[in-house]
Amino acid sequence: MSTVTATKIELAPHGTDHSHGDDGKTPLGFWIYLMSDCVLFASIFAGFVVLRYSLAGGPSGRELFDLSFVATETGLLLVSSLTYGLAMIAAGRGNLRTVFVWLGITFLCGLGFVGMEVHEFGKLIAEGAGPDRSAFLSGFFTLVGTHGLHVTAGLIWMAVMGLQLVLRGLTAVNMTRLVCLSLFWHFLDIVWIGVFSIVYLMGAA
């Protein structure tokens, strides 16, 4: 009788963890979401490419874009991708304190990126180059703004993730959430490389 009881006590935590942990469905579902986001960004990219020469007598990218400013912005996002990778390495080693350090740096880099983007938008609108000025600028604000909103959502997610780590630590559920956030963050990094190349580099050429 004691053996049966002991077995039940030992198996209960495992059963609980299995029911709330990573059963494979969460990462798969998140990959499906990312594929839908790929379709979204592909559509917006296509729209921008079609509209980029529709200036309606307004300024072109060559007149508007400051590549040194955008390069700094890009550097922040690339560094944030690296620091998030380091946070995942620390999480795999069970080092929660180091996870917080790297996540904090990632958050600050992402926040700097969003701040620079908001500054750029404000400057363009103040110069009369808002989204209503031409089809080109409408496409520009839609594409870059959609990416910026995704980064903002990622920052909110990161802050909530930090709270979850404070409350519960590196549980199986939190590890799955960290992996999903990692996929999302690196995906945004890849999308931005496309934005930087197609919108800014080609636009300023």
Side-chain angles (χ1 to χ4, degrees), residues 83-136:
T83 55
Y84 196 100
L86 293 172
M88 289 303 298
I89 292 173
R93 294 174 177 172
N95 192 334
L96 185 57
R97 179 174 296 181
T98 306
V99 171
F100 280 123
V101 171
W102 290 122
L103 277 184
I105 296 173
T106 303
F107 184 89
L108 290 176
C109 288
L111 192 63
F113 173 87
V114 172
M116 292 183 74
E117 192 167 282
V118 170
H119 173 77
E120 179 187 29
F121 279 9
K123 181 173 178 291
L124 290 176
I125 292 172
E127 293 173 353
D132 57 339
R133 180 63 183 85
S134 65
F136 157 68

Side-chain angles (χ1 to χ4, degrees), residues 3-204:
T3 304
V4 174
T5 304
T7 303
K8 288 182 178 178
I9 293 172
E10 183 179 358
L11 290 177
H14 179 270
T16 303
D17 184 68
H18 177 73
S19 63
H20 295 284
D22 176 16
D23 57 1
K25 294 180 181 178
T26 300
L28 175 61
F30 199 76
W31 273 110
I32 294 172
Y33 159 73
L34 285 181
M35 293 305 101
S36 69
D37 236 16
C38 280
V39 174
L40 171 66
F41 276 108
S43 301
I44 301 175
F45 267 111
F48 173 80
V49 170
V50 170
L51 298 173
R52 63 178 176 162
Y53 295 119
S54 302
L55 303 177
S60 66
R62 184 179 301 176
E63 300 169 72
L64 295 174
F65 300 151
D66 180 355
L67 287 185
S68 61
F69 182 87
V70 182
T72 303
E73 195 177 3
T74 302
L76 282 175
L77 200 60
L78 291 175
V79 169
S80 77
S81 190
L82 171 64
T83 55
Y84 196 100
L86 293 172
M88 289 303 298
I89 292 173
R93 294 174 177 172
N95 192 334
L96 185 57
R97 179 174 296 181
T98 306
V99 171
F100 280 123
V101 171
W102 290 122
L103 277 184
I105 296 173
T106 303
F107 184 89
L108 290 176
C109 288
L111 192 63
F113 173 87
V114 172
M116 292 183 74
E117 192 167 282
V118 170
H119 173 77
E120 179 187 29
F121 279 9
K123 181 173 178 291
L124 290 176
I125 292 172
E127 293 173 353
D132 57 339
R133 180 63 183 85
S134 65
F136 157 68
L137 285 167
S138 178
F140 166 79
F141 274 89
T142 300
L143 176 55
V144 179
T146 299
H147 180 271
L149 287 175
H150 277 69
V151 175
T152 303
L155 291 174
I156 295 171
W157 185 358
M158 204 174 298
V160 173
M161 191 71 253
L163 180 61
Q164 290 291 324
L165 290 172
V166 169
L167 295 175
R168 298 172 186 172
L170 292 169
T171 62
V173 175
N174 279 344
M175 285 298 293
T176 299
R177 290 168 177 166
L178 281 170
V179 169
C180 290
L181 179 53
S182 175
L183 292 172
F184 182 72
W185 200 254
H186 293 310
F187 167 74
L188 294 180
D189 200 35
I190 294 170
V191 172
W192 180 256
I193 291 173
V195 172
F196 181 68
S197 302
I198 296 173
V199 176
Y200 291 100
L201 289 182
M202 292 177 64

